[in-house]
Amino acid sequence: MDAFEVELFLLVEKYGWEDRVRTGVRKRRVALASQPAATARELADRYGLSREATAALVALAPQAAGLPSAPVAMPSDNHTVWEPGEASETPVQKAPRAPMHQTVGPGMLQPGRSVLPAEASVSGRSWSTLARAKPDVDEVLAAFAPLAGMVGGRHRAGAVVEALDPDNILLGASGEVVLADPAHEPRPAWRSPERVRGEEVVPASDVFVLGVLLFEALSGVSWFNRIAVDPTLEAILAGDRRAHEREVPAPLVAVCERATAAAPADRPAHALAFLSEVLEAAEPAEPAEPAEPPPPPVERPVVPVDFTAVDAALERARAARADGRFAEAAEIERKARSDEAAAEAIERDRLIGLLCEPADDPALVEGLRAAHVRASARNEPASWLLDLLAHVDVAGRTARYREGNGRLTLLTEPADLAVELYRYEERDGRLWPEPVASLGVTPLRDVTLPMGSWVIILRGETEVRYPVRIDRRTRWHGTPPDAEGPATIRVPARGELGGEDALVPPGWFLLDGRWSWCDGFVVRRTPIRLREYVEFLSALRRTGDEARLQACTPRVGPALTWEGSSPRIGEDARGVRWSQEWPVVGVPIEGARQYARWRGSLDGHDWRLPTEKEWEKAARGVDGRPFPWGTAVDVSFARFGSSTPAAVDEHPADSSPYGVRGLGGNVADWVEGPAPAGFGVARGGTYASRADGLGCGASHVVAEGGSALVGFRLARTA
């Protein structure tokens, strides 16, 4: 079995690819020499290989001895320690004679390193205990693979182990292999013939002892006659073997015979070569050919599946939803998803057929690349497809695609603005902008950037945040639909933005998993506070327009009484006194619109409610994150699971890539969007939401008279 097969077998189990891959992949054996150990460990961790498969994959990789690995101490609590040479059936509790730990990960050693005494005690069982427990073949191989891998690491470093006595080999519960005493002198029965004769020992000498250990564990009896020391030495020198007690598969007996050949030159050269032979011998035999002719091969599509019709249907579904035709949109999307699943199955069949061919097939390479593009576009796990593509693309046709760099073009008005680049890094569920470099001044044209989510700070008379997402082999240029060139990002002059204003530049962003264009706009950083809305009501009171005042007065929240044109804010129906720094709630959607017009009459701006698309871009940025702050929820990030709102600036973590606050929790915001008659749309989580109600996609249909969970904020076209 080679690394390519190990990985493909995992894909069969993990992703449901059909069992016929198991047969077809044998036609496409890929040499292990092309599989670095670092990649082998990453594959093992990513796909959850068993510890024996991990050990085999890592041990067979050509650079195993060169991999650095952090020391992994075996547990020391309630430890069980074996003294070398003990022959008891079960381990006994006693003080450690020389506490040990393994200096590297299971099955590997760094060049020139030994297993050295350290500060933690060893727990586990000895090889002797394993052999006496009458294990089955799988259990023996699961323990033998990391043992041979550890010895092979020493061989690659130009050393031999020699201390391979079954009482000196300790096996940890998680596959660790430790020599209790690296300088231990093994008993005669576990010495190679050349060592007995006092000749030079070589890696093949360790292979001899590994063969003895493996056979004894499989068979349950000694490989040699151990009646006394002298006969044992004679048996070793003569190569005398005894019949075994338990039946051992013939292929494994054969590899043990070869490993214990009298001459070192007739044995596998080192432990890793021996392990490779053992794993190959353990492979189940190929089924016999059927007597009758095999069924005709399944015809597979040759031409790649065209997903254009599916994509067009999903686009029609989005358009119907935007027009308020929700039932029609749901039916179109249901049919499109069904067609998509059927098309994916056909394409999977085509790729499996190509995968089973031995040649380096350009059609397979392009098919896997297209499958990776589609999976990435849907934000589905796709790294396994990229790994598979690296295996099959022998000619390197997709090397630049797999590298994944993209390009950035950025034009500004005015030009010559300083450009500072930050990369979003995830820590504890939040995406933090980490400084990377200065990119000079604008304009920027075709600057190479690695894949990832970035934010650019443009510094002019005001500071503007410009989020960017670089995808594989793409150009980020901000060209609007039906336009010929990139949009120019206008940076406002000093005084154009108020202290509560945030600019959201024009550009593309991920909406429902698809790229969508949104023109630039300005949005208030916080929802309208209670005190700000009371100012508006006071202005209405002074005009004497009682009908309009009553229409705009909140239906819920704190009681509002008047002394002339001065309002008095009382308690709500529960007896809770509201802070004037809390967001105002219970405002009818028409009252929110009238407040926007009133505010515009004071400062000269054409304020309005944001559209649904504007609100979502202000919340998500461009990278499609599920929450304004990142990828997960913590009680400290936002106001939720509560009975009352909080001050608009109480949760600084509830901040979007543009610095807009309170889009995740506290109160939802009225927005302009399609809704049934008598209702409006509100977006965002609320102070009463559960954690799963805080996402950027949170949307509510609310009676237009308002709700205790809904406030509003203002926006205007940039």
Side-chain angles (χ1 to χ4, degrees):
M1 176 182 292
D2 60 32
F4 186 70
E5 288 180 274
V6 171
E7 184 187 357
L8 262 294
F9 288 1
L10 257 296
L11 295 181
V12 170
E13 295 171 4
K14 190 174 182 69
Y15 296 99
W17 284 34
E18 298 168 26
D19 285 346
R20 53 179 175 261
V21 175
R22 295 180 184 270
T23 301
V25 75
R26 297 183 186 280
K27 303 176 183 177
R28 192 185 182 84
R29 300 184 68 86
V30 176
L32 273 166
S34 66
Q35 181 63 57
T39 307
R41 270 200 177 283
E42 291 166 5
L43 291 175
D45 291 342
R46 182 178 304 146
Y47 299 135
L49 266 66
S50 63
R51 66 171 182 266
E52 59 267 31
T54 300
L57 198 58
V58 173
L60 291 175
Q63 300 172 9
L67 254 186
S69 179
V72 181
M74 297 176 70
S76 58
D77 293 341
N78 299 320
H79 54 266
T80 302
V81 178
W82 289 266
E83 295 285 357
E86 287 183 8
S88 58
E89 287 293 327
T90 57
V92 294
Q93 300 286 342
K94 59 173 63 181
R97 56 180 297 278
M100 311 290 172
H101 79 155
Q102 190 175 358
T103 60
V104 294
M108 292 177 54
L109 287 175
Q110 301 178 36
R113 293 283 185 89
S114 299
V115 179
L116 301 175
E119 300 169 354
S121 298
V122 175
S123 64
R125 59 176 174 169
S126 69
W127 188 270
S128 295
T129 305
L130 170 73
R132 286 192 293 269
K134 298 184 179 181
D136 59 24
V137 172
D138 289 340
E139 186 178 359
V140 173
L141 293 180
F144 182 77
L147 170 61
M150 181 270 286
V151 177
R154 291 299 309 276
H155 291 171
R156 288 193 181 279
V160 292
V161 176
E162 298 188 75
L164 295 175
D165 187 299
D167 286 339
N168 194 43
I169 300 168
L170 304 186
L171 308 172
S174 301
E176 302 92 340
V177 176
V178 181
L179 296 181
D181 182 358
H184 175 70
E185 184 72 15
R187 288 166 287 172
W190 295 283
R191 300 179 190 174
S192 63
E194 53 271 24
R195 184 171 184 185
V196 171
R197 289 190 293 260
E199 299 170 355
E200 180 185 5
V201 293
V202 293
S205 304
D206 288 337
V207 170
F208 182 95
V209 182
L210 287 173
V212 173
L213 292 169
L214 177 60
F215 182 81
E216 290 178 344
L218 290 169
S219 67
V221 299
S222 300
W223 185 254
F224 303 109
N225 183 349
R226 287 192 245 161
I227 298 173
V229 172
D230 290 342
T232 298
L233 296 179
E234 293 172 4
I236 292 173
L237 293 173
D240 180 25
R241 301 171 176 83
R242 290 186 60 191
H244 42 271
E245 181 179 274
R246 293 195 304 275
E247 184 167 351
V248 181
L252 288 174
V253 173
V255 296
C256 290
E257 293 263 4
R258 183 166 129 71
T260 56
D266 295 332
R267 307 171 199 152
H270 51 76
L272 297 184
F274 180 40
L275 176 60
S276 180
E277 292 185 14
V278 170
L279 294 176
E280 192 70 31
E283 285 275 304
E286 293 288 345
E289 291 293 327
E292 57 275 353
V298 179
E299 292 188 7
R300 303 183 188 278
V302 177
V303 180
V305 175
D306 186 1
F307 290 90
T308 305
V310 171
D311 293 338
L314 292 173
E315 194 61 43
R316 290 197 303 274
R318 282 189 291 275
R321 188 178 294 107
D323 291 342
R325 294 175 283 128
F326 301 109
E328 179 184 347
E331 178 58 25
I332 294 174
E333 182 168 5
R334 184 197 63 76
K335 177 66 165 55
R337 293 301 182 193
S338 175
D339 292 345
E340 183 179 43
E344 291 279 12
I346 295 172
E347 179 68 358
R348 182 198 63 198
D349 258 12
R350 186 181 77 90
L351 294 179
I352 288 175
L354 293 173
L355 188 63
C356 295
E357 297 297 326
D360 177 23
D361 193 335
L364 172 61
V365 172
E366 178 55 31
L368 289 173
R369 189 197 67 80
H372 181 265
V373 169
R374 289 190 61 79
S376 300
R378 295 194 297 264
N379 287 324
E380 295 175 355
S383 59
W384 67 277
L385 279 167
L386 206 61
D387 293 333
L388 192 54
L389 184 58
H391 278 300
V392 302
D393 186 12
V394 178
R397 300 179 185 89
T398 61
R400 295 184 68 184
Y401 174 80
R402 287 182 278 114
E403 186 181 53
N405 291 336
R407 295 183 179 275
L408 166 71
T409 293
L410 176 59
L411 310 181
T412 63
E413 179 187 333
D416 298 324
L417 298 182
V419 179
E420 296 177 9
L421 181 67
Y422 294 74
R423 182 166 193 154
Y424 279 113
E425 302 287 352
E426 183 176 358
R427 294 200 308 273
D428 300 325
R430 293 180 63 183
L431 291 170
W432 297 83
E434 300 289 350
V436 174
S438 171
L439 297 183
V441 297
T442 57
L444 303 178
R445 298 184 186 276
D446 284 341
V447 175
T448 299
L449 287 180
M451 292 172 57
S453 182
W454 309 80
V455 62
I456 289 172
I457 304 298
L458 298 171
R459 300 196 184 278
E461 293 187 10
T462 57
E463 180 179 293
V464 170
R465 300 185 187 187
Y466 184 63
V468 169
R469 170 165 153 160
I470 300 296
D471 286 330
R472 190 178 303 277
R473 304 288 296 155
T474 59
R475 278 183 165 82
W476 183 276
H477 45 64
T479 300
D482 303 323
E484 296 182 357
T488 298
I489 306 303
R490 181 180 174 276
V491 176
R494 185 177 292 107
E496 287 188 44
L497 292 180
E500 291 278 338
D501 298 347
L503 174 66
V504 179
W508 298 91
F509 76 109
L510 277 174
L511 177 64
D512 294 333
R514 305 279 178 163
W515 289 104
S516 181
W517 177 266
C518 185
D519 291 328
F521 62 98
V522 175
V523 63
R524 284 283 298 268
R525 294 184 186 274
T526 61
I528 300 302
R529 299 170 175 85
L530 177 58
R531 62 173 171 80
E532 293 175 298
Y533 196 75
V534 167
E535 291 177 12
F536 164 61
L537 294 179
S538 297
L540 288 181
R541 177 84 173 183
R542 287 192 293 272
T543 65
D545 190 341
E546 287 296 323
R548 189 178 172 201
L549 175 63
Q550 290 301 317
C552 294
T553 298
R555 304 295 191 268
V556 294
L560 193 64
T561 58
W562 297 93
E563 294 180 358
S565 61
S566 300
R568 291 176 59 87
I569 301 174
E571 299 174 343
D572 64 13
R574 300 167 299 172
V576 176
R577 181 167 294 278
W578 284 49
S579 166
Q580 296 201 43
E581 293 302 308
W582 291 3
V584 65
V585 297
V587 176
I589 189 170
E590 186 55 38
R593 292 170 179 148
Q594 292 200 35
Y595 175 90
R597 290 191 287 270
W598 172 78
R599 178 58 64 183
S601 68
L602 299 181
D603 59 20
H605 292 303
D606 189 14
W607 292 109
R608 52 178 173 78
L609 298 181
T611 65
E612 278 202 82
K613 179 182 284 190
E614 289 173 338
W615 188 97
E616 191 150 344
K617 184 174 183 182
R620 290 190 191 275
V622 302
D623 56 16
R625 62 185 61 192
F627 304 99
W629 53 81
T631 60
V633 177
D634 184 89
V635 69
S636 65
F637 292 173
R639 182 72 163 189
F640 67 97
S642 178
S643 60
T644 61
V648 296
D649 55 359
E650 187 169 315
H651 290 81
D654 189 358
S655 181
S656 80
Y658 301 101
V660 184
R661 305 278 287 274
L663 295 171
N666 211 12
V667 296
D669 295 326
W670 281 122
V671 296
E672 299 290 2
F679 293 85
V681 178
R683 296 298 304 270
T686 75
Y687 60 85
S689 296
R690 300 185 309 179
D692 57 5
L694 303 183
C696 296
S699 181
H700 319 274
V701 176
V702 182
E704 60 186 9
S707 164
L709 304 177
V710 177
F712 70 99
R713 69 183 70 226
L714 303 182
R716 58 183 171 87
T717 304

